[in-house]
Amino acid sequence: MHRAAAILAALLSLAACSAKATGAAPPSAPASAADAAPAPASGAGSPDPSADARLRKASPSPSARAASVSLPLRATFYYPWYPENFAGNGSHYTPSAGKYNGDDPKVVDRQIADMQYAGLQAGIASWWGAGKREDRRFAVLLKEAERLHFQWTVYYENEGFADPSPATLAADLAYLGKYTSSPAFLHVNGRPVIFAYGDGTDGCSMVDRWRTANTAGFYVVLKVFGGYRDCRSQPDGWHQYAPGGGLDVQNGYSAVCSPGFWKNDTGTPLLARDPDRFRRDATTVATSKAPFQLVTTYNEWGEGTSVESTTDWPSTSGHGVYVDILHEVFAAHPR
């Protein structure tokens, strides 16, 4: 449901906050955080055959040419893991929409409208590989976004749990080419965008692997690690993913805020929810001038980082307190 060793990563993210004023990279996680990670539940299993048929029908249009989005870009991390990952002790929270089904285009339409109301131009959807559940649902996300004039890209998760070879990365990028001609696939400077997760053992060799693999010309945004600014090779962009810290600014690259962090199997939150604090953090993001202005997350329910409305923070707008805050802050500080 959520990334292995999330608590450890979130604890380390608190140290990252102290670096936000200077743009210094946060400390790296110990290798054991990645080494101990079990196979991610998000990539396991498949929808039922009827769901597969619906998803095949939802394939995005290959004919329209994708348009570039200008920077700065405001986007949020998104998880196509539901309803499966609502099962059991899935979250401390209950979505206002109930245990919704990510195969349903009406659900996706509502979520896209939610993100657009928040002032976001794109979603970064968790992706674990060709043919996986998230891959099949990505087709639904693109199809609906084509109608609603929204953008999507993928969050390449496997980089956070292994060191994929250049050949593996190149094959995955080639596969993703089936989606990049959609007008809803995020492009910057005419190039399809991809974000990649990372782990505590990453270093400059990760950048080298992606540079070697990227013969398809993707605009690559990697997750930061200690010393990332000193690497001889550089990707197109950098981002942090550490929602347990609330706010992180990597000067010149990205700014990101989170409403809170309460992992589903812990008794108390690591980062308690506070709308006033979130408003301040969102304002910092909106005024940062960073090329990528990000929110972690739209709907990661297992780690309790969602801004999507729940029964715990509804609002009269119907979008929920935290989406309302983004709407107000981003409208007050246009990109």
Side-chain angles (χ1 to χ4, degrees):
M1 177 190 314
H2 42 73
R3 297 180 180 80
I7 297 176
L8 177 58
L11 286 168
L12 288 166
S13 71
L14 295 176
C17 293
S18 64
K20 63 181 179 290
T22 63
S28 296
S32 60
D35 293 343
S42 58
S46 300
D48 61 70
S50 61
D52 278 350
R54 291 196 300 274
L55 290 165
R56 284 194 294 272
K57 291 180 180 179
S59 297
S61 167
S63 59
R65 184 176 180 82
S68 289
V69 173
S70 61
L71 298 177
L73 172 76
R74 290 171 175 169
T76 187
F77 295 89
Y78 176 92
Y79 296 87
W81 296 346
Y82 307 104
E84 295 89 351
N85 286 16
F86 285 132
N89 185 28
S91 179
H92 292 286
Y93 304 110
T94 301
S96 296
K99 295 181 179 180
Y100 54 76
N101 188 337
D103 294 334
D104 186 348
K106 292 181 180 178
V107 167
V108 173
D109 291 353
R110 174 188 61 77
Q111 293 178 322
I112 289 175
D114 224 20
M115 288 181 265
Q116 289 175 319
Y117 178 81
L120 302 166
Q121 291 79 52
I124 306 164
S126 176
W127 191 81
W128 293 87
K132 301 284 181 138
R133 171 182 59 185
E134 298 78 15
D135 178 49
R136 289 189 288 264
R137 286 181 178 154
F138 190 68
V140 179
L141 299 179
L142 283 181
K143 187 68 173 181
E144 297 310 296
E146 287 176 3
R147 295 191 305 102
L148 299 174
H149 308 291
F150 191 68
Q151 306 286 300
W152 288 101
T153 184
V154 302
Y155 201 24
Y156 189 92
E157 299 273 19
N158 286 327
E159 183 62 61
F161 299 89
D163 292 328
S165 69
T168 297
L169 293 174
D172 284 340
L173 293 175
Y175 175 84
L176 289 169
K178 67 186 284 187
Y179 298 125
T180 58
S181 63
S182 165
F185 196 99
L186 178 65
H187 282 63
V188 169
N189 296 338
R191 297 163 59 198
V193 178
I194 186 169
F195 280 70
Y197 191 51
D199 62 54
T201 66
D202 285 328
C204 296
S205 61
M206 176 179 73
V207 188
D208 295 335
R209 285 188 289 103
W210 278 86
R211 184 182 181 90
T212 300
N214 188 25
T215 58
F218 275 77
Y219 189 106
V220 177
V221 186
L222 299 178
K223 184 181 180 298
V224 300
F225 49 80
Y228 74 92
R229 292 177 184 268
D230 298 326
C231 295
R232 176 179 297 181
S233 296
Q234 290 287 317
D236 298 284
W238 293 98
H239 75 286
Q240 176 61 293
Y241 191 103
L247 173 68
D248 182 273
V249 178
Q250 302 292 323
N251 287 336
Y253 293 112
S254 63
V256 58
C257 61
S258 169
F261 188 105
W262 191 2
K263 199 163 174 283
N264 64 319
D265 58 359
T266 62
T268 57
L270 177 63
L271 178 66
R273 286 185 178 257
D274 178 349
D276 292 335
R277 188 265 306 161
F278 183 69
R279 184 181 295 274
R280 291 192 300 271
D281 291 351
T283 300
T284 297
V285 170
T287 58
S288 68
K289 301 186 184 300
F292 293 99
Q293 299 174 14
L294 308 173
V295 178
T296 49
T297 63
Y298 179 73
N299 66 336
E300 217 291 18
W301 292 107
E303 291 181 348
T305 61
S306 306
V307 297
E308 187 178 17
S309 181
T310 85
T311 56
D312 299 274
W313 58 81
S315 68
T316 56
S317 73
H319 296 281
V321 167
Y322 291 92
V323 170
D324 282 355
I325 290 171
L326 292 173
H327 171 78
E328 293 161 7
V329 169
F330 287 159
H333 303 283
R335 63 191 183 101

